[in-house]
């Protein structure tokens, strides 16, 4: 393990062991202090965040983009402070920490026995939403996690999410899809973060007027298993409570090839994600390149 990998692993370990012991107001202030310091340094992540916000808020002035990136970093650090503290939250605190709208799309889907796929973008705190599902709805679910380096850091994330009541499968290896399909055929719940896919199997979509690539998995799972596909968007307000919206189901098209159906359904997901991101851009934690024009200059203007 390299020195950088050891440092990263130790840093996350310190967060989970120390931050969760802090009083909540202290953790909130700490997160905001770290966010403001990172924003002032204007490192690569902050600059990329502003470039992504420029797509979401076209015509925004440099001053407006700077305001958004500062708010975005504060939102991002709120996510981390909450995540470090979630294992120590009581069931009552978890249940009070998230208020979703139109939850009936999810509860009715589960009651039907079809199985449900929830697809989310990197908005607000998807781990808190997951903990709320396992706690308030008493519904276990299955998700996937990207294999991180070092392996010990990946193990920390898996243990953290399993501690919140999630079944976590590794993203790599190809076996995850079959397991997810079995869970859905048994009437279970699958939750996937689905707004970024840089692999060759990603589906091209129109996203805020430019081409991007998103994972095919949610649409393919719905087609293979008959499960309900529900987009979910999340956001913060000025309270300690996170808000959310369960969007109407994305139906499988009646005609077309599998690839054509997957394209239509993934575009519908992208449109639902764009609605939520446009309403709360500062809560979209996309500090990486996303649009094809940024990944490959030959695809269009950077």
């Amino acid at each position: 393990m390299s020195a950088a990998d050891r440092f990263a692993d130790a840093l996350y370990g310190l967060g989970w062991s120390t931050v969760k012991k802090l009083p909540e107001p202290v953790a909130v202030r700490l997160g905001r202090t770290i966010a403001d310091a990172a924003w002032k340094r204007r490192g690569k992540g902050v600059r990329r965040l502003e470039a992504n916000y420029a797509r979401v808020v076209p015509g925004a002035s440099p001053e407006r983009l700077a305001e958004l990136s500062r708010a975005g970093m504060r939102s991002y650090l709120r996510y981390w402070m909450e995540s470090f503290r979630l294992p120590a939250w009581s069931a009552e605190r978890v249940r009070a920490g998230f208020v979703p709208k139109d939850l009936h799309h999810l509860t009715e889907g589960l009651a039907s026995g079809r199985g449900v796929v929830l697809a989310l973008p990197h908005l607000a705190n998807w781990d808190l939403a997951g903990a709320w599902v396992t706690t308030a709805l008493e519904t276990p679910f299955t998700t996937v996690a990207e294999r991180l380096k070092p392996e010990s850091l990946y193990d920390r994330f898996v243990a953290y999410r399993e501690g919140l009541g999630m079944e976590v499968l590794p993203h790599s290896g190809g076996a995850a899809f079959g397991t997810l399909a079995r869970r859905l055929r048994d009437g279970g719940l699958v939750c996937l973060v689905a707004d970024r896919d840089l692999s060759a199997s990603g589906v091209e979509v129109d996203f805020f007027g430019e081409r991007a690539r998103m994972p095919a998995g949610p649409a393919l799972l719905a087609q293979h298993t008959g499960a309900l596909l529900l987009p979910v968007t999340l956001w913060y307000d000025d309270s300690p409570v996170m808000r959310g919206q369960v969007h109407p189901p994305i139906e499988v098209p009646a005609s077309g090839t599998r690839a054509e159906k997957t394209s239509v359904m993934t575009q519908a997901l992208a449109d639902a994600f764009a609605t939520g991101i446009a309403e709360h851009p500062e809560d979209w934690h996309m500090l990486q390149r996303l649009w094809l024009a940024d990944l490959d200059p030959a695809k269009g203007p950077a």
Side-chain angles (χ1 to χ4, degrees):
M1 187 188 301
S2 69
D5 286 346
R6 286 196 299 271
F7 177 74
D9 181 60
L11 193 62
Y12 284 101
L14 181 65
W16 272 303
S17 64
T18 303
V19 173
K20 70 180 180 182
K21 299 175 183 177
L22 297 176
E24 190 157 344
V26 175
V28 170
R29 288 196 299 271
L30 176 62
R32 181 162 291 199
T33 298
I34 295 171
D36 287 349
W39 177 77
K40 288 177 182 176
R41 283 201 300 272
R42 291 195 58 77
K44 181 171 64 175
V46 173
R47 296 195 305 273
R48 172 48 47 195
L49 190 63
E50 284 188 11
N52 290 338
Y53 286 159
R55 260 60 174 251
V56 175
V57 189
S61 67
E63 293 77 15
R64 172 60 176 149
L65 290 175
E67 290 174 0
L68 274 176
S69 66
R70 184 175 191 177
M73 291 303 295
R74 287 181 172 183
S75 175
Y76 186 48
L77 263 295
R78 176 173 172 174
Y79 160 77
W80 279 112
M81 291 297 112
E82 287 179 348
S83 295
F84 287 144
R85 291 174 52 74
L86 262 175
W89 281 14
S90 67
E92 291 75 16
R93 178 67 181 90
V94 172
R95 284 193 289 265
F98 178 46
V99 177
K101 296 194 295 184
D102 295 329
L103 185 64
H104 65 92
H105 292 307
L106 171 58
T107 55
E108 291 171 5
L110 291 171
S112 73
R114 288 179 59 183
V116 176
V117 180
L118 294 180
L120 305 89
H122 286 81
L123 274 169
N125 192 337
W126 46 96
D127 287 328
L128 172 54
W132 186 89
V133 167
T134 61
T135 304
L137 299 185
E138 298 182 344
T139 301
F141 66 87
T142 305
T143 187
V144 297
E146 181 182 357
R147 282 203 173 275
L148 303 171
K149 292 183 180 180
E151 190 74 14
S152 58
L153 181 56
Y154 170 77
D155 291 340
R156 285 187 190 275
F157 271 95
V158 170
Y160 156 64
R161 291 188 169 120
E162 289 179 341
L164 299 177
M166 311 175 192
E167 179 188 21
V168 183
L169 307 176
H171 186 270
S172 58
F177 188 91
T179 303
L180 295 174
R182 286 193 296 274
R183 300 291 182 269
L184 292 168
R185 291 192 183 102
D186 289 339
L189 177 63
V190 165
C191 300
L192 301 170
V193 179
D195 57 345
R196 184 173 186 260
D197 187 345
L198 306 184
S199 72
S201 61
V203 178
E204 282 198 24
V205 295
D206 182 79
F207 196 53
F208 290 101
E210 292 190 42
R211 303 300 286 175
R213 198 176 288 127
M214 293 187 180
L220 287 173
L221 284 167
Q223 292 176 61
H224 276 278
T225 67
L228 204 63
L229 175 55
L230 299 176
V232 178
T233 53
L234 310 171
W235 67 92
Y236 290 128
D237 57 19
D238 293 330
S239 76
V241 178
M242 183 176 72
R243 312 290 173 173
Q245 171 81 53
V246 183
H247 296 259
I250 293 174
E251 302 294 343
V252 177
S255 62
T257 65
R258 178 180 298 172
E260 289 168 343
K261 292 177 180 179
T262 301
S263 178
V264 169
M265 295 173 72
T266 306
Q267 182 62 62
L269 265 185
D271 293 342
F273 292 167
T275 297
I277 292 167
E279 291 175 351
H280 305 279
E282 67 279 2
D283 291 324
W284 189 40
H285 307 151
M286 186 55 66
L287 280 72
Q288 300 86 22
R289 296 177 185 268
L290 175 72
W291 280 274
L292 299 186
D294 292 334
L295 297 166
D296 181 0
K299 294 281 188 179

